[in-house]
Every structure is written in structure tokens, then in C-alpha cells.
Amino acid sequence: MAVVVVVVLVAGGIVFLRHRASQYFVYSPGSAPQLVTDATCRAASSSDNLALPGGSPCARVSVPADRAHPVEGRLYMVDVLVGQATWPQYALAKLGLLKRFEQGTQLVPAEAVLGGTPASQLTCQTNQQMVGATEAASVAALRRLGYSVKENNLGALVATVAPNTAAERGGVECNDLITGFDGKPVHTADDLRAAENDAKPGQRVSLTVERVGKGGKTDTVTLHPTLTGTPSLGGAPAQPDRPFLGVAIQSRVTFTLPFHVQFDVGSIGGPSAGLAMTLALLDVLSNGKLTGGHKVAATGTIDTDGNVGDVGGVAQKTVAVRRAGVQLFLVPRQELAVARSEAGSSLKVEAVSTLNQALADLGAFGGDLSALPPPSRSS
């Protein structure tokens, strides 16, 4: 009987821990892919990340051969491994022992990772973010070099579809491009928001939706009012007298570049490699000497104007770049303290909020910026 009681208690404890662990994710140190132009940077299979022949992780920057310069030194982006927490990890975290057994690993509440995004749409969203990051990096780098880049508004890109809403019931999906609302053209996210606000709750409207690989199609959906006490997508207060489509959107913008630029990052998603990719492209297109021959890593989002934004998992990223032997790590200003707490004595960490600050830090670290034009007054 005593044995049975013990077994029941242990089994019940494990069930409880599994339930609690399901409400958390874990961040762990990932890899630090080197940004290269080498064609040998490729994946062994469609499911693998890119690697150089020796096995070290990489990401590839492609530009026309007549514009590329040999690169001295190394530039790295860095990622974080994000996974569902296991019950042993949850138990160790609550005992304050998780980092002792798994260095750099951190328990993170699911809502902090997902926000308002259903877990089933997370991969779609992170892939969107990486596409946006590669485009913004290309534009920021080329504009910093003095090139003119034209913007083209294509429509409102769906990032998230809220459950039990008009959009979900109408078949709208993450990554759909909405180009029309009840006969009105939609070129930007603001166009869609304005058209939605002009509609009435319960009104039947037609959405013109373009889906990757399936061409344009027209769906008819019914706008429903938000329910009293139920926050709308993004946490805004409920407004029962206003229509609610149920999508988080952003303007889908493409850019006309003066020549072909491409980034191949394998299966890595998210927006945080924007700064690193911008610096790598600038290095290749200028003189290849921006790092001064050193090992440099960077994390941070980038916009087309060269502004650097904060990212998550900086503690884990710092551990990853330290393990890769990086000498200088550029991070968003908001994450400086966290990064320095994990850097150790061999890794220098500097905070940046713009592309020009990052370049100035590279110059102070021995990089040669002479091939870059002076920054514009607006930057």
C-alpha cells in the first residue's frame, strides 16, 4: 500500500509539473552563423540550417560579382533556440537550478513568447519577420551607400488571425495579402484600417485576398462587433459598437533595388538579424574591411532608415557569440546591461540605436570606414 501511495503521489506530481511546464517556453543559447558570400555555404538537406564545409553555421549574402569585395574578418548574426519547456526544466527553474544544469537557459512564460499570436501561427509570423528583416537590411545598407531605392505598396499583409472572428470564419490565413475591401483598393495597412472603421458591425463585406502560390481570390466575410469585456487583437479595449475583422496586419512593401541582393539564412526566423545583415552587406559592397579583421557579431532589428530596435533572448545570444570566439558584440541599447552580464572578460559589448552608431563602433574597434560616404544629416 505504501508503495502504491508513493507511486500515485509521484505520478500526480509529474502530471502537475507537466501541466505547469506547458505554460512556459525555454530560451537556450543558439548558434552564431557567419555571414559569408561563399557558395559553399549551403544546407545538406531542405530541413537543415546552412553550414560551411567544415560544419560551422553560416548565412549567405549574394550580390553581383563585380560589386563584391573580399572580406577581412568575420561578421556573425546570432539566434536563440526556443522550445516548449519540459517538466524537469520547469522544476529546476523553480528551484533556481536551471542555469546550473543548462547554462544560459531561461524559462519564459508562454504569453511573453506568443503575445496574441496562436501557437499554430508562430512559424508563419517569424518567417514573415525574417523576410521583412532581409528587405529592410538591403534597403538600409544601399541607402547608406547613397543608392536610391523605390518603395512599392502592395497591400495589407496578415500577420495574425484571431480565433473566432470574422476573418477566421471567412478563411483568412496568416501571410495572406489583402488588396481590396468591399470594392475599395487596399495598398497599405492604414487603407484597410480606414475601410474597416467605415463599415458597420454585422455588415457583409468582400475581401480580395492574394495567397502565396494560389493567386488572387475573393472571400466574403461578415464583420462582427467585439464582445463586451473581450479585448480585441493586440489587447485594445473592446468596442462593441465598432466592426472587428480580427487580423493583425502590416503594410506589405517591396523595394526596387539598383541591383540584385539576396540573403539566405536557412530556417532561421524572426527580425533580430537585421543589423548584422545590414553590416555584412555594407562590408561586402564597400571595401571588406569594416571589422578591421576582427570577429564581430550583432543583434537588433533594423528599419529602412537605419534605426536599430530591441530583440529578445540577448542573454542567450551573448553566450552563443562568446562560445564562437567573437571579440565585439553590438546590441540594442536596451539590452546592454543584460549582454554585459553574460559577456565575460574576452567579449566587448557596445550598445547602438542606429546603423551609424554601429559603424562608428566598428571604426573605434579598428574597422576601416573610408569606403563609405559620409552619413547624411538626417541619419
Side-chain angles (χ1 to χ4, degrees):
M1 180 63 70
V3 171
V4 170
V5 170
V6 170
V7 169
V8 170
L9 290 174
V10 170
I14 291 176
V15 169
F16 171 77
L17 290 173
R18 281 178 175 167
H19 171 70
R20 293 295 296 163
S22 68
Q23 301 172 37
Y24 289 86
F25 283 80
V26 287
Y27 284 176
S28 303
S31 62
Q34 182 185 351
L35 286 147
V36 300
T37 58
D38 196 335
T40 62
C41 173
R42 56 176 181 245
S45 71
S46 60
S47 61
D48 292 339
N49 283 325
L50 308 185
L52 292 167
S56 59
C58 63
R60 189 179 176 194
V61 186
S62 298
V63 299
D66 61 344
R67 296 180 181 274
H69 294 80
V71 173
E72 301 176 8
R74 298 181 181 182
L75 260 167
Y76 300 83
M77 52 188 275
V78 57
D79 59 28
V80 173
L81 298 178
V82 181
Q84 183 69 54
T86 64
W87 70 263
Q89 288 173 323
Y90 173 81
L92 288 172
K94 293 305 176 182
L95 293 171
L97 300 174
L98 182 58
K99 289 186 178 181
R100 181 176 299 180
F101 287 89
E102 299 181 31
Q103 185 183 11
T105 299
Q106 177 186 0
L107 196 71
V108 183
E111 59 268 22
V113 178
L114 298 174
T117 304
S120 61
Q121 299 176 37
L122 186 60
T123 298
C124 173
Q125 190 176 85
T126 58
N127 289 342
Q128 274 187 9
Q129 291 169 338
M130 176 55 80
V131 170
T134 60
E135 293 177 341
S138 300
V139 175
L142 291 172
R143 285 178 174 169
R144 181 61 182 81
L145 289 169
Y147 291 100
S148 176
V149 178
K150 181 183 177 182
E151 299 185 9
N152 313 288
N153 293 313
L154 300 184
L157 184 67
V158 177
T160 307
V161 182
N164 301 316
T165 59
E168 185 189 54
R169 289 192 286 272
V172 179
E173 300 176 2
C174 174
N175 220 34
D176 280 351
L177 184 68
I178 299 176
T179 59
F181 183 97
D182 220 24
K184 300 176 182 177
V186 172
H187 301 291
T188 66
D190 286 341
D191 288 346
L192 180 58
R193 294 187 186 102
E196 181 183 356
N197 288 335
D198 288 341
K200 296 179 180 180
Q203 175 185 345
R204 292 183 65 82
V205 300
S206 62
L207 292 181
T208 304
V209 179
E210 293 183 7
R211 184 164 296 160
V212 175
K214 297 184 179 180
K217 67 185 185 71
T218 300
D219 283 338
T220 300
V221 302
T222 301
L223 293 180
H224 291 275
T226 53
L227 301 176
T228 302
T230 303
S232 62
L233 201 63
Q239 296 175 294
D241 60 335
R242 298 186 63 182
F244 180 53
L245 183 59
V247 291
I249 54 174
Q250 61 188 30
S251 295
R252 178 69 177 106
V253 182
T254 60
F255 303 92
T256 303
L257 305 182
F259 49 83
H260 178 72
V261 174
Q262 181 176 333
F263 291 95
D264 189 353
V265 298
S267 61
I268 298 173
S272 64
L275 175 60
M277 293 188 293
T278 305
L279 293 173
L281 182 56
L282 280 172
D283 202 18
V284 171
L285 292 176
S286 58
N287 59 6
K289 300 178 180 180
L290 295 187
T291 67
H294 297 109
K295 291 184 175 182
V296 177
T299 188
T301 65
I302 196 80
D303 67 16
T304 56
D305 294 322
N307 297 305
V308 176
D310 61 316
V311 295
V314 171
Q316 292 72 38
K317 291 176 180 179
T318 307
V319 173
V321 299
R322 190 183 72 225
R323 290 173 177 173
V326 168
Q327 298 160 285
L328 174 65
F329 189 26
L330 303 177
V331 303
R333 186 164 301 281
Q334 300 92 320
E335 273 91 27
L336 178 62
V338 173
R340 283 184 172 171
S341 70
E342 298 285 350
S345 58
S346 61
L347 176 62
K348 183 177 183 180
V349 181
E350 295 292 349
V352 300
S353 57
T354 67
L355 173 59
N356 284 325
Q357 286 181 351
L359 291 170
D361 283 332
L362 290 179
F365 202 64
D368 180 2
L369 310 183
S370 62
L372 299 178
S376 64
R377 292 183 179 180
S378 60
S379 59

